[in-house]
Amino acid sequence: MDGYDERHPDDRLASNHPLLLMHEGTPVGTARLDVTGPRLGVVRLVAIEANLQRRGLGRLLMQEVESYARRVGLEQLEVNAAKEAEGFYQSLGWVAVRSDRENPLMTKSLSPGEIQ
Ligand SMILES: CC(C)(COP(=O)(O)OP(=O)(O)OC[C@H]1O[C@@H](n2cnc3c(N)ncnc32)[C@H](O)[C@@H]1OP(=O)(O)O)[C@@H](O)C(=O)NCCC(=O)NCCS
């Protein structure tokens, strides 16, 4: 993605979790889960390698993010979606709560995970 600053301090905050989706030892996607409240997380910097999009990897990435979020005790996720990615989140069960914004605010409630 354009504009990513790898030295940005937010990537190193203890409450923010930078995640990689790996395939055979190679990173193919990324997301960062920021824990912003006792039960709330915000998903940022979601991306699949450009030449691997539209093959189901984004769905897989978000399933893994959700399961990770449940494991750290979150019940609700939010994303400030890129306009062109709104349909992607919709197909994964996210709901737009502020579609009037430049980056529509979308949310997803997490079903309870197994206790581990
Ligand atoms: C958005 C992104 C992460 C989706 O990943 P992907 O691997 O292409 O998505 P998938 O192939 O797993 O698609 C999952 C579902 O979303 C749908 N979908 C994917 N991209 C979509 C889009 N741009 N618009 C509408 N629907 C979309 C697919 O059709 C699929 O639905 P289906 O299973 O019902 O057929 C990827 O396109 C990307 O990295 N885009 C550039 C960066 C970006 O915009 N990130 C989002 C920032 S908020």
Side-chain angles (χ1 to χ4, degrees), residues 1 30 43-50 52-62 79-92 103:
M1 291 193 291
T30 187
V43 181
R44 300 186 203 277
L45 301 169
V46 174
I48 294 296
E49 189 72 55
L52 297 175
Q53 291 174 8
R54 294 289 189 140
R55 299 180 190 189
L57 288 173
R59 176 182 292 276
L60 191 59
L61 171 70
M62 296 311 293
V79 68
N80 294 298
K83 261 276 181 227
E84 56 279 11
E86 207 177 344
F88 165 68
Y89 291 106
Q90 262 165 7
S91 76
L92 304 184
N103 294 109

Side-chain angles (χ1 to χ4, degrees), residues 32-75:
R32 197 180 81 205
L33 177 65
D34 296 0
V35 178
T36 58
R39 301 275 174 250
L40 178 67
V42 180
V43 181
R44 300 186 203 277
L45 301 169
V46 174
I48 294 296
E49 189 72 55
N51 60 352
L52 297 175
Q53 291 174 8
R54 294 289 189 140
R55 299 180 190 189
L57 288 173
R59 176 182 292 276
L60 191 59
L61 171 70
M62 296 311 293
Q63 282 168 354
E64 294 293 329
V65 169
E66 286 179 27
S67 115
Y68 183 85
R70 280 191 208 96
R71 289 204 300 275
V72 298
L74 304 184
E75 292 175 359

Side-chain angles (χ1 to χ4, degrees), residues 4-25:
Y4 175 67
D5 174 4
E6 63 183 18
R7 288 166 305 174
H8 199 289
D10 283 2
D11 275 348
R12 283 148 192 96
L13 289 180
S15 54
N16 294 352
H17 305 243
L19 304 167
L20 280 178
L21 181 70
M22 303 293 291
H23 177 68
E24 295 179 351

